[in-house]
Amino acid sequence: GVGLVIRNGRKGSGFADGEGPPDLNWEETAYLGGSYRRLCSAALARLVERGAAEVSEKGESVRRIGSPADLSGVEAAVNAALP
């Protein structure tokens, strides 16, 4: 409620004056947001988006359908683990 709004207002952004958030890539953001599980999930989503993997019709499985040359290390590892 109101107490939370006041507390957040006093707390600030957490960054020093003139300092913004760190510049993180997608891998760092995913890992910090949920450890290796979130990182693997993000890599799978990227592989599907790039056409290197596809999700089954029922959404129960993912399979590799390609291996683009420009995959990141994480994407390549996840892609290699796919059937």
Side-chain angles (χ1 to χ4, degrees), residues 21-29 32:
D23 187 24
L24 303 174
N25 65 31
W26 72 268
E27 294 162 322
E28 295 164 329
T29 302
L32 291 173

Side-chain angles (χ1 to χ4, degrees), residues 49-70:
E49 179 183 12
R50 298 179 69 193
E54 70 179 2
V55 179
S56 68
E57 221 175 275
K58 293 184 179 182
E60 297 171 345
S61 63
V62 180
R63 72 179 186 98
R64 180 177 53 234
I65 57 173
S67 295
D70 61 342

Side-chain angles (χ1 to χ4, degrees), residues 9-81:
R10 288 185 182 166
K11 188 176 175 184
S13 69
F15 300 108
D17 289 339
E19 183 181 75
D23 187 24
L24 303 174
N25 65 31
W26 72 268
E27 294 162 322
E28 295 164 329
T29 302
Y31 184 80
L32 291 173
S35 189
Y36 70 92
R37 288 186 177 109
R38 180 69 53 91
L39 178 58
C40 289
S41 179
L44 278 172
R46 288 178 56 90
L47 290 169
V48 170
E49 179 183 12
R50 298 179 69 193
E54 70 179 2
V55 179
S56 68
E57 221 175 275
K58 293 184 179 182
E60 297 171 345
S61 63
V62 180
R63 72 179 186 98
R64 180 177 53 234
I65 57 173
S67 295
D70 61 342
L71 295 178
S72 73
V74 173
E75 289 171 315
V78 170
N79 196 40

